[in-house]
Amino acid sequence: MLLISSAKHFSFANRMRRPQHLVSNHHHIRAVEEEIIGGGGEEGLITTTYSGNLIQNGNMFDVVTKSKTIVLREMDVHSPSNVSERYEVWMRPGSHENHEQSQDGWYLIGCGIMEGNGLLTPSLLPDRLVPMNLTPFSTTGLYVTLMPLAGDSRLIYSIGSARGEIYVQNEELQVLVGVAIQYPFGQYFDARYAINHS
């Protein structure tokens, strides 16, 4: 799950809750729309599939905003792991395409330890991400990865038809097919929706 906030007249960081073609790594996205500065909000969710049969350390994919500013706040992932795992979440302005194998231009917006909940169950990345403003009508690359240590430090993903294709969307955001990738910025597998995130 990606937790996001959308904002009108937004002047502060609001809190909010695929290298083969990453079709979907089972993500769940929550959005909050702020009516005015300091105003309340209404939450919405985007969830990708939790059916997948392939695994890799991480997923890179793009999100495209529609007419509102979005603030990315937190995320769930889908992993076969049932133990504690170290994770990282990276972002870059623009698409992840042609930036899979280099850290240049990527910003680390979250890292820590998550408790794996195993197959078909979301695992929350427990620490809030550094809030990132995603401006209207913009593309942002995201990279979610587990560090290969002990356990089953991989995310579950599915094969998609084409990278860059819309996999899921709501009124605020589109999640595109991306890639599955080896840690940290290594070999990738195209056309994956390994973002089994919510």
Side-chain angles (χ1 to χ4, degrees):
M1 167 177 72
L2 299 178
L3 180 55
I4 56 175
S5 296
S6 61
K8 299 175 186 173
H9 312 297
F10 178 83
S11 65
F12 60 92
N14 281 310
R15 296 172 50 207
M16 57 192 248
R17 265 237 1 135
R18 302 179 202 226
Q20 285 184 332
H21 279 349
L22 163 72
V23 176
S24 172
N25 185 1
H26 314 280
H27 300 285
H28 183 135
I29 301 168
R30 186 174 303 175
V32 178
E33 178 179 347
E34 294 292 331
E35 297 299 329
I36 56 174
I37 295 175
E42 179 179 324
E43 293 187 347
L45 299 174
I46 291 181
T47 303
T48 63
T49 181
Y50 276 85
S51 65
N53 58 359
L54 300 169
I55 54 176
Q56 190 51 263
N57 300 123
N59 310 136
M60 279 185 189
F61 58 100
D62 293 338
V63 293
V64 179
T65 57
K66 295 188 180 178
S67 63
K68 298 174 184 170
T69 295
I70 300 294
V71 182
L72 178 64
R73 289 183 33 203
E74 65 184 49
M75 181 181 298
D76 295 336
V77 298
H78 187 204
S79 172
S81 178
N82 287 306
V83 299
S84 297
E85 299 281 2
R86 295 191 57 77
Y87 71 88
E88 295 176 353
V89 180
W90 298 76
M91 69 79 61
R92 65 171 295 117
S95 177
H96 74 280
E97 290 194 57
N98 301 313
H99 303 284
E100 300 90 350
Q101 297 180 306
S102 172
Q103 186 176 326
D104 294 344
W106 287 94
Y107 301 93
L108 184 65
I109 62 169
C111 62
I113 307 241
M114 65 157 228
E115 294 301 320
N117 291 323
L119 293 173
L120 302 177
T121 305
S123 296
L124 173 67
L125 303 184
D127 299 315
R128 295 233 179 225
L129 304 177
V130 173
M132 301 300 299
N133 290 349
L134 310 181
T135 58
F137 307 106
S138 67
T139 299
T140 302
L142 292 174
Y143 174 30
V144 182
T145 187
L146 299 183
M147 299 171 66
L149 299 170
D152 207 355
S153 305
R154 294 172 288 186
L155 299 174
I156 299 171
Y157 68 93
S158 307
I159 296 178
S161 56
R163 188 188 337 194
E165 186 176 80
I166 297 170
Y167 178 70
V168 66
Q169 65 181 324
N170 67 11
E171 292 178 3
E172 291 89 18
L173 191 70
Q174 296 174 337
V175 178
L176 308 184
V177 172
V179 299
I181 191 164
Q182 292 177 347
Y183 183 85
F185 290 86
Q187 179 182 2
Y188 66 94
F189 308 90
D190 208 5
R192 301 298 188 264
Y193 55 99
I195 36 175
N196 303 332
H197 310 298
S198 42

